Amino acid sequence: MNHLPEPARVVQLPDGRHVYADQLPETYTGPQVVHQHIHHAAPDRTVQRLALGSGFGAGAVAAGVYFGPLLIAALTAMAANIAFLAFLALVLGWGVHSVVKAVGGDAGTQAVKNVRKTRRKRG
């Protein structure tokens, strides 16, 4: 029937220091290693992980990181240029058509009718 509290235990550490048992440092568990398969990788990292895992090295990783977005930017710029040139050709063609139609007069109209008649006879 002892109603007194337990006395605090004192422990000696390997380095010679004395500490109370409830103040012991946490035990070292080591680095946390996560084992992840290649198919669990995010899509934007799959190429990099393949390159590192199969021995291609840092050059392939750098190429995937640097030249991927660069290629997309270059293709987008080319597509924008081609779209602009197509629009420009359309506008210029419409302009030439409108000018020829306005300036041509009766001779132009008669020439169009003659071309249409000859096409109908051949077809």
Side-chain angles (χ1 to χ4, degrees), residues 12-110:
Q12 185 176 8
L13 295 176
D15 64 358
R17 291 183 295 147
H18 289 84
V19 294
Y20 290 105
D22 59 349
Q23 296 176 352
L24 286 174
E26 292 292 323
T27 58
Y28 179 71
T29 58
Q32 298 256 337
V33 178
V34 177
H35 184 72
Q36 187 175 26
H37 291 281
I38 190 67
H39 58 274
H40 293 142
D44 60 339
R45 299 285 181 215
T46 303
V47 173
Q48 286 85 350
R49 290 191 182 176
L50 277 172
L52 289 175
S54 59
F56 288 117
V61 174
V65 170
Y66 181 74
F67 290 115
L70 191 66
L71 177 66
I72 298 299
L75 291 176
T76 304
M78 284 191 284
N81 287 339
I82 291 172
F84 177 73
L85 290 175
F87 177 73
L88 187 64
L90 179 71
V91 168
L92 290 175
W94 174 77
V96 168
H97 170 76
S98 297
V99 168
V100 169
K101 187 175 175 184
V103 174
D106 294 334
T109 307
Q110 188 60 39

